[in-house]
Amino acid sequence: MAGRDVNVQMGLTSVDEVSFMMLPGKVTENVQPGNIKLGFFNQVQPEVESDKIALIFGVRYELEDDKILECVYRFEFRVNGLARFITTHDKDGITVTYIMPLLINVAIGTMRGILVVKTAGTNLSKFPLPIIDSVRLTQSLSNP
């Protein structure tokens, strides 16, 4: 549908914690950033008739195949003309075009701040969420 010249009017309306788990004791002073595996997951819940879309976005840190941090938040957005960006498929599948990298970008930036606060004073504070290309992440999340 949308080309690069599409005017999108949207805003973040709420951010709510779904779940949070952290095991900072497993992270010793010897752990290097390359030892921690980072994973992401998402789920999209559009309400086209009310121009609302929720993005459930999660981050997972693993060390030696042990989950040491998992943080999941629900981000709700209002997007004017949301129907332009949603395609519904059989069996309740949907595709979100054009705006998905914008939603992911907001979620990543917000999640970075959340993790800074939640890991403060722990060994995990030395491993902030890195800068991430939201377009590439969106592609990898939609094509697992």
Short mmCIF file of all heavy atoms in Angstrom, two decimals, residues 47-92:
data_model
loop_
_atom_site.label_atom_id
_atom_site.label_comp_id
_atom_site.label_asym_id
_atom_site.label_seq_id
_atom_site.Cartn_x
_atom_site.Cartn_y
_atom_site.Cartn_z
N GLU A 47 -6.85 -2.98 16.41
CA GLU A 47 -8.28 -2.67 16.55
C GLU A 47 -8.57 -1.63 15.48
O GLU A 47 -8.61 -0.43 15.76
CB GLU A 47 -8.61 -2.13 17.93
CG GLU A 47 -8.43 -3.13 19.04
CD GLU A 47 -8.72 -2.52 20.42
OE1 GLU A 47 -9.44 -1.51 20.51
OE2 GLU A 47 -8.19 -3.07 21.40
N VAL A 48 -8.73 -2.10 14.25
CA VAL A 48 -8.81 -1.22 13.09
C VAL A 48 -9.95 -0.22 13.22
O VAL A 48 -9.79 0.96 12.90
CB VAL A 48 -8.95 -2.06 11.79
CG1 VAL A 48 -9.15 -1.17 10.58
CG2 VAL A 48 -7.71 -2.93 11.61
N GLU A 49 -11.10 -0.67 13.72
CA GLU A 49 -12.27 0.22 13.80
C GLU A 49 -12.06 1.41 14.73
O GLU A 49 -12.69 2.45 14.57
CB GLU A 49 -13.52 -0.56 14.21
CG GLU A 49 -13.46 -1.23 15.57
CD GLU A 49 -12.62 -2.51 15.63
OE1 GLU A 49 -12.30 -3.09 14.58
OE2 GLU A 49 -12.28 -2.92 16.75
N SER A 50 -11.13 1.29 15.69
CA SER A 50 -10.88 2.41 16.62
C SER A 50 -9.49 3.03 16.41
O SER A 50 -9.05 3.82 17.24
CB SER A 50 -11.05 1.94 18.06
OG SER A 50 -10.16 0.88 18.35
N ASP A 51 -8.83 2.67 15.30
CA ASP A 51 -7.50 3.21 14.98
C ASP A 51 -6.48 2.96 16.08
O ASP A 51 -5.57 3.75 16.30
CB ASP A 51 -7.56 4.71 14.67
CG ASP A 51 -8.03 5.01 13.26
OD1 ASP A 51 -8.07 4.07 12.43
OD2 ASP A 51 -8.33 6.17 12.97
N LYS A 52 -6.60 1.81 16.76
CA LYS A 52 -5.64 1.44 17.81
C LYS A 52 -4.89 0.19 17.39
O LYS A 52 -5.46 -0.70 16.76
CB LYS A 52 -6.34 1.16 19.13
CG LYS A 52 -6.97 2.35 19.80
CD LYS A 52 -7.60 1.92 21.10
CE LYS A 52 -8.38 3.04 21.74
NZ LYS A 52 -9.08 2.56 22.95
N ILE A 53 -3.64 0.14 17.77
CA ILE A 53 -2.86 -1.06 17.55
C ILE A 53 -1.95 -1.25 18.76
O ILE A 53 -1.33 -0.30 19.24
CB ILE A 53 -2.05 -1.01 16.24
CG1 ILE A 53 -1.36 -2.35 15.96
CG2 ILE A 53 -1.07 0.15 16.22
CD1 ILE A 53 -0.82 -2.47 14.53
N ALA A 54 -1.94 -2.47 19.28
CA ALA A 54 -1.08 -2.80 20.41
C ALA A 54 0.06 -3.68 19.91
O ALA A 54 -0.15 -4.56 19.08
CB ALA A 54 -1.85 -3.51 21.51
N LEU A 55 1.24 -3.39 20.40
CA LEU A 55 2.42 -4.19 20.09
C LEU A 55 2.91 -4.77 21.42
O LEU A 55 3.27 -4.04 22.33
CB LEU A 55 3.52 -3.32 19.47
CG LEU A 55 4.88 -3.97 19.27
CD1 LEU A 55 4.79 -5.11 18.24
CD2 LEU A 55 5.91 -2.93 18.83
N ILE A 56 2.85 -6.09 21.52
CA ILE A 56 3.45 -6.78 22.66
C ILE A 56 4.88 -7.06 22.22
O ILE A 56 5.11 -7.75 21.24
CB ILE A 56 2.73 -8.10 22.98
CG1 ILE A 56 1.22 -7.93 23.06
CG2 ILE A 56 3.32 -8.74 24.24
CD1 ILE A 56 0.72 -7.03 24.13
N PHE A 57 5.83 -6.49 22.96
CA PHE A 57 7.24 -6.57 22.54
C PHE A 57 8.07 -7.10 23.70
O PHE A 57 7.94 -6.64 24.83
CB PHE A 57 7.74 -5.18 22.13
CG PHE A 57 9.12 -5.18 21.55
CD1 PHE A 57 9.34 -5.60 20.25
CD2 PHE A 57 10.20 -4.76 22.31
CE1 PHE A 57 10.62 -5.60 19.71
CE2 PHE A 57 11.48 -4.74 21.78
CZ PHE A 57 11.68 -5.17 20.47
N GLY A 58 8.90 -8.07 23.40
CA GLY A 58 9.73 -8.67 24.44
C GLY A 58 11.19 -8.75 24.07
O GLY A 58 11.55 -8.85 22.89
N VAL A 59 12.02 -8.68 25.10
CA VAL A 59 13.47 -8.79 24.97
C VAL A 59 13.91 -9.92 25.90
O VAL A 59 13.43 -10.02 27.03
CB VAL A 59 14.17 -7.48 25.39
CG1 VAL A 59 15.68 -7.63 25.37
CG2 VAL A 59 13.74 -6.33 24.51
N ARG A 60 14.84 -10.74 25.42
CA ARG A 60 15.38 -11.83 26.24
C ARG A 60 16.90 -11.80 26.14
O ARG A 60 17.46 -11.69 25.07
CB ARG A 60 14.85 -13.17 25.75
CG ARG A 60 15.47 -14.35 26.50
CD ARG A 60 14.95 -15.67 26.02
NE ARG A 60 13.56 -15.77 26.39
CZ ARG A 60 12.66 -16.50 25.73
NH1 ARG A 60 13.01 -17.20 24.69
NH2 ARG A 60 11.41 -16.55 26.14
N TYR A 61 17.54 -11.90 27.31
CA TYR A 61 19.00 -12.06 27.38
C TYR A 61 19.26 -13.49 27.83
O TYR A 61 18.66 -13.95 28.80
CB TYR A 61 19.60 -11.13 28.43
CG TYR A 61 19.70 -9.67 28.09
CD1 TYR A 61 18.73 -9.00 27.36
CD2 TYR A 61 20.78 -8.93 28.55
CE1 TYR A 61 18.84 -7.63 27.09
CE2 TYR A 61 20.90 -7.57 28.30
CZ TYR A 61 19.92 -6.93 27.56
OH TYR A 61 20.03 -5.59 27.30
N GLU A 62 20.18 -14.17 27.15
CA GLU A 62 20.57 -15.52 27.54
C GLU A 62 22.09 -15.59 27.70
O GLU A 62 22.82 -14.95 26.95
CB GLU A 62 20.13 -16.55 26.50
CG GLU A 62 18.63 -16.73 26.44
CD GLU A 62 18.20 -17.80 25.45
OE1 GLU A 62 19.07 -18.41 24.78
OE2 GLU A 62 16.99 -18.02 25.34
N LEU A 63 22.51 -16.35 28.68
CA LEU A 63 23.92 -16.59 28.94
C LEU A 63 24.11 -18.09 29.07
O LEU A 63 23.51 -18.71 29.97
CB LEU A 63 24.37 -15.87 30.21
CG LEU A 63 25.81 -16.05 30.65
CD1 LEU A 63 26.77 -15.49 29.60
CD2 LEU A 63 26.05 -15.38 31.99
N GLU A 64 24.89 -18.67 28.17
CA GLU A 64 25.14 -20.12 28.18
C GLU A 64 23.83 -20.90 28.20
O GLU A 64 23.64 -21.81 29.01
CB GLU A 64 26.04 -20.50 29.35
CG GLU A 64 27.41 -19.85 29.27
CD GLU A 64 28.23 -20.04 30.54
OE1 GLU A 64 27.73 -20.62 31.53
OE2 GLU A 64 29.39 -19.61 30.52
N ASP A 65 22.90 -20.50 27.35
CA ASP A 65 21.58 -21.13 27.20
C ASP A 65 20.67 -20.98 28.42
O ASP A 65 19.62 -21.63 28.49
CB ASP A 65 21.71 -22.60 26.81
CG ASP A 65 22.34 -22.77 25.43
OD1 ASP A 65 22.07 -21.91 24.55
OD2 ASP A 65 23.10 -23.73 25.23
N ASP A 66 21.05 -20.16 29.39
CA ASP A 66 20.17 -19.86 30.52
C ASP A 66 19.55 -18.49 30.31
O ASP A 66 20.25 -17.52 30.00
CB ASP A 66 20.96 -19.83 31.84
CG ASP A 66 21.40 -21.21 32.30
OD1 ASP A 66 20.72 -22.19 31.96
OD2 ASP A 66 22.43 -21.29 32.99
N LYS A 67 18.24 -18.41 30.50
CA LYS A 67 17.56 -17.13 30.40
C LYS A 67 17.91 -16.32 31.65
O LYS A 67 17.68 -16.77 32.77
CB LYS A 67 16.05 -17.36 30.30
CG LYS A 67 15.26 -16.11 30.11
CD LYS A 67 13.79 -16.37 29.75
CE LYS A 67 13.11 -17.41 30.57
NZ LYS A 67 11.66 -17.48 30.33
N ILE A 68 18.51 -15.14 31.46
CA ILE A 68 18.90 -14.31 32.60
C ILE A 68 18.05 -13.05 32.72
O ILE A 68 18.04 -12.41 33.77
CB ILE A 68 20.40 -13.95 32.57
CG1 ILE A 68 20.77 -13.23 31.28
CG2 ILE A 68 21.25 -15.18 32.79
CD1 ILE A 68 22.19 -12.68 31.24
N LEU A 69 17.35 -12.70 31.65
CA LEU A 69 16.46 -11.55 31.70
C LEU A 69 15.41 -11.73 30.62
O LEU A 69 15.72 -12.14 29.50
CB LEU A 69 17.24 -10.25 31.43
CG LEU A 69 16.42 -8.96 31.50
CD1 LEU A 69 17.26 -7.85 32.11
CD2 LEU A 69 15.91 -8.53 30.15
N GLU A 70 14.18 -11.46 30.99
CA GLU A 70 13.10 -11.42 30.01
C GLU A 70 12.15 -10.30 30.41
O GLU A 70 11.69 -10.25 31.55
CB GLU A 70 12.36 -12.74 29.92
CG GLU A 70 11.33 -12.75 28.79
CD GLU A 70 10.77 -14.13 28.55
OE1 GLU A 70 9.80 -14.49 29.24
OE2 GLU A 70 11.32 -14.84 27.68
N CYS A 71 11.92 -9.42 29.48
CA CYS A 71 11.12 -8.23 29.73
C CYS A 71 10.09 -8.11 28.60
O CYS A 71 10.46 -8.06 27.43
CB CYS A 71 12.06 -7.03 29.75
SG CYS A 71 11.28 -5.48 30.19
N VAL A 72 8.80 -8.09 28.95
CA VAL A 72 7.74 -8.00 27.96
C VAL A 72 6.82 -6.84 28.33
O VAL A 72 6.34 -6.76 29.48
CB VAL A 72 6.92 -9.31 27.89
CG1 VAL A 72 5.83 -9.21 26.82
CG2 VAL A 72 7.82 -10.52 27.64
N TYR A 73 6.58 -5.97 27.37
CA TYR A 73 5.71 -4.81 27.57
C TYR A 73 4.69 -4.73 26.45
O TYR A 73 4.92 -5.21 25.34
CB TYR A 73 6.53 -3.51 27.61
CG TYR A 73 7.01 -3.19 29.00
CD1 TYR A 73 8.06 -3.90 29.59
CD2 TYR A 73 6.40 -2.18 29.75
CE1 TYR A 73 8.48 -3.62 30.87
CE2 TYR A 73 6.83 -1.90 31.04
CZ TYR A 73 7.86 -2.62 31.59
OH TYR A 73 8.27 -2.34 32.87
N ARG A 74 3.57 -4.10 26.78
CA ARG A 74 2.51 -3.84 25.80
C ARG A 74 2.50 -2.35 25.50
O ARG A 74 2.33 -1.53 26.41
CB ARG A 74 1.16 -4.27 26.37
CG ARG A 74 0.00 -4.08 25.40
CD ARG A 74 -1.31 -4.56 26.05
NE ARG A 74 -2.39 -4.59 25.11
CZ ARG A 74 -3.13 -3.53 24.79
NH1 ARG A 74 -2.92 -2.35 25.36
NH2 ARG A 74 -4.11 -3.65 23.90
N PHE A 75 2.70 -2.03 24.24
CA PHE A 75 2.71 -0.64 23.77
C PHE A 75 1.45 -0.42 22.95
O PHE A 75 1.21 -1.15 21.98
CB PHE A 75 3.94 -0.39 22.89
CG PHE A 75 5.24 -0.62 23.59
CD1 PHE A 75 5.80 -1.89 23.66
CD2 PHE A 75 5.91 0.43 24.19
CE1 PHE A 75 7.00 -2.11 24.31
CE2 PHE A 75 7.12 0.22 24.86
CZ PHE A 75 7.65 -1.05 24.91
N GLU A 76 0.66 0.56 23.33
CA GLU A 76 -0.54 0.85 22.55
C GLU A 76 -0.38 2.18 21.83
O GLU A 76 0.08 3.16 22.41
CB GLU A 76 -1.79 0.90 23.44
CG GLU A 76 -3.06 1.05 22.62
CD GLU A 76 -4.31 0.91 23.45
OE1 GLU A 76 -4.66 -0.24 23.80
OE2 GLU A 76 -4.93 1.95 23.76
N PHE A 77 -0.76 2.16 20.56
CA PHE A 77 -0.65 3.32 19.70
C PHE A 77 -2.00 3.67 19.11
O PHE A 77 -2.83 2.79 18.89
CB PHE A 77 0.30 3.03 18.52
CG PHE A 77 1.70 2.68 18.91
CD1 PHE A 77 2.04 1.37 19.24
CD2 PHE A 77 2.69 3.64 18.92
CE1 PHE A 77 3.33 1.04 19.57
CE2 PHE A 77 4.00 3.31 19.27
CZ PHE A 77 4.32 2.01 19.60
N ARG A 78 -2.19 4.94 18.82
CA ARG A 78 -3.32 5.38 18.01
C ARG A 78 -2.71 5.79 16.67
O ARG A 78 -1.78 6.60 16.63
CB ARG A 78 -4.04 6.57 18.65
CG ARG A 78 -5.21 7.06 17.78
CD ARG A 78 -6.12 8.03 18.50
NE ARG A 78 -6.73 7.52 19.71
CZ ARG A 78 -7.77 6.67 19.75
NH1 ARG A 78 -8.32 6.25 18.65
NH2 ARG A 78 -8.27 6.29 20.90
N VAL A 79 -3.24 5.22 15.59
CA VAL A 79 -2.74 5.49 14.24
C VAL A 79 -3.92 5.94 13.39
O VAL A 79 -4.84 5.14 13.14
CB VAL A 79 -2.09 4.24 13.61
CG1 VAL A 79 -1.57 4.55 12.22
CG2 VAL A 79 -0.98 3.70 14.50
N ASN A 80 -3.92 7.20 12.96
CA ASN A 80 -4.99 7.69 12.10
C ASN A 80 -5.00 6.90 10.80
O ASN A 80 -3.97 6.74 10.15
CB ASN A 80 -4.82 9.18 11.80
CG ASN A 80 -5.06 10.05 13.02
OD1 ASN A 80 -5.55 9.59 14.05
ND2 ASN A 80 -4.71 11.31 12.92
N GLY A 81 -6.17 6.38 10.45
CA GLY A 81 -6.30 5.59 9.23
C GLY A 81 -5.58 4.26 9.29
O GLY A 81 -5.02 3.80 8.29
N LEU A 82 -5.62 3.62 10.45
CA LEU A 82 -4.90 2.37 10.65
C LEU A 82 -5.22 1.33 9.58
O LEU A 82 -4.34 0.58 9.16
CB LEU A 82 -5.20 1.80 12.05
CG LEU A 82 -4.55 0.46 12.39
CD1 LEU A 82 -3.03 0.58 12.37
CD2 LEU A 82 -5.04 -0.03 13.75
N ALA A 83 -6.44 1.29 9.11
CA ALA A 83 -6.85 0.28 8.13
C ALA A 83 -5.97 0.29 6.88
O ALA A 83 -5.78 -0.75 6.24
CB ALA A 83 -8.31 0.49 7.74
N ARG A 84 -5.39 1.42 6.54
CA ARG A 84 -4.50 1.52 5.36
C ARG A 84 -3.27 0.63 5.50
O ARG A 84 -2.66 0.26 4.51
CB ARG A 84 -3.99 2.95 5.16
CG ARG A 84 -5.01 3.99 4.92
CD ARG A 84 -4.36 5.36 4.76
NE ARG A 84 -3.78 5.80 6.04
CZ ARG A 84 -2.88 6.76 6.15
NH1 ARG A 84 -2.41 7.38 5.08
NH2 ARG A 84 -2.42 7.11 7.34
N PHE A 85 -2.90 0.31 6.74
CA PHE A 85 -1.65 -0.39 7.00
C PHE A 85 -1.83 -1.85 7.42
O PHE A 85 -0.85 -2.53 7.71
CB PHE A 85 -0.87 0.35 8.09
CG PHE A 85 -0.69 1.81 7.79
CD1 PHE A 85 -1.36 2.77 8.51
CD2 PHE A 85 0.15 2.22 6.77
CE1 PHE A 85 -1.20 4.13 8.24
CE2 PHE A 85 0.32 3.57 6.48
CZ PHE A 85 -0.36 4.52 7.22
N ILE A 86 -3.08 -2.32 7.48
CA ILE A 86 -3.38 -3.67 7.95
C ILE A 86 -3.98 -4.49 6.81
O ILE A 86 -4.93 -4.07 6.18
CB ILE A 86 -4.39 -3.65 9.13
CG1 ILE A 86 -3.88 -2.79 10.27
CG2 ILE A 86 -4.72 -5.06 9.58
CD1 ILE A 86 -2.69 -3.33 11.00
N THR A 87 -3.41 -5.67 6.59
CA THR A 87 -3.97 -6.63 5.65
C THR A 87 -4.29 -7.89 6.44
O THR A 87 -3.41 -8.42 7.13
CB THR A 87 -2.97 -6.97 4.52
OG1 THR A 87 -2.58 -5.76 3.88
CG2 THR A 87 -3.59 -7.92 3.52
N THR A 88 -5.53 -8.35 6.34
CA THR A 88 -5.95 -9.55 7.06
C THR A 88 -5.90 -10.74 6.11
O THR A 88 -6.33 -10.66 4.96
CB THR A 88 -7.38 -9.38 7.61
OG1 THR A 88 -7.42 -8.20 8.42
CG2 THR A 88 -7.80 -10.57 8.45
N HIS A 89 -5.37 -11.86 6.61
CA HIS A 89 -5.24 -13.09 5.84
C HIS A 89 -6.15 -14.14 6.45
O HIS A 89 -6.69 -13.97 7.54
CB HIS A 89 -3.80 -13.60 5.86
CG HIS A 89 -2.80 -12.57 5.45
ND1 HIS A 89 -2.62 -12.17 4.16
CD2 HIS A 89 -1.93 -11.85 6.19
CE1 HIS A 89 -1.69 -11.25 4.10
NE2 HIS A 89 -1.24 -11.03 5.33
N ASP A 90 -6.28 -15.27 5.78
CA ASP A 90 -7.05 -16.39 6.33
C ASP A 90 -6.48 -16.82 7.67
O ASP A 90 -5.31 -16.62 7.96
CB ASP A 90 -7.01 -17.58 5.36
CG ASP A 90 -7.76 -17.29 4.07
OD1 ASP A 90 -8.61 -16.39 4.07
OD2 ASP A 90 -7.48 -17.97 3.07
N LYS A 91 -7.32 -17.43 8.47
CA LYS A 91 -6.95 -17.96 9.79
C LYS A 91 -6.37 -16.89 10.70
O LYS A 91 -5.40 -17.10 11.42
CB LYS A 91 -5.98 -19.13 9.65
CG LYS A 91 -6.59 -20.28 8.89
CD LYS A 91 -5.68 -21.47 8.87
CE LYS A 91 -6.34 -22.55 8.06
NZ LYS A 91 -5.62 -23.77 8.02
N ASP A 92 -6.92 -15.70 10.68
CA ASP A 92 -6.57 -14.60 11.58
C ASP A 92 -5.15 -14.07 11.43
O ASP A 92 -4.65 -13.38 12.30
CB ASP A 92 -6.81 -14.99 13.06
CG ASP A 92 -8.28 -15.29 13.32
OD1 ASP A 92 -9.12 -14.59 12.73
OD2 ASP A 92 -8.56 -16.20 14.10
#
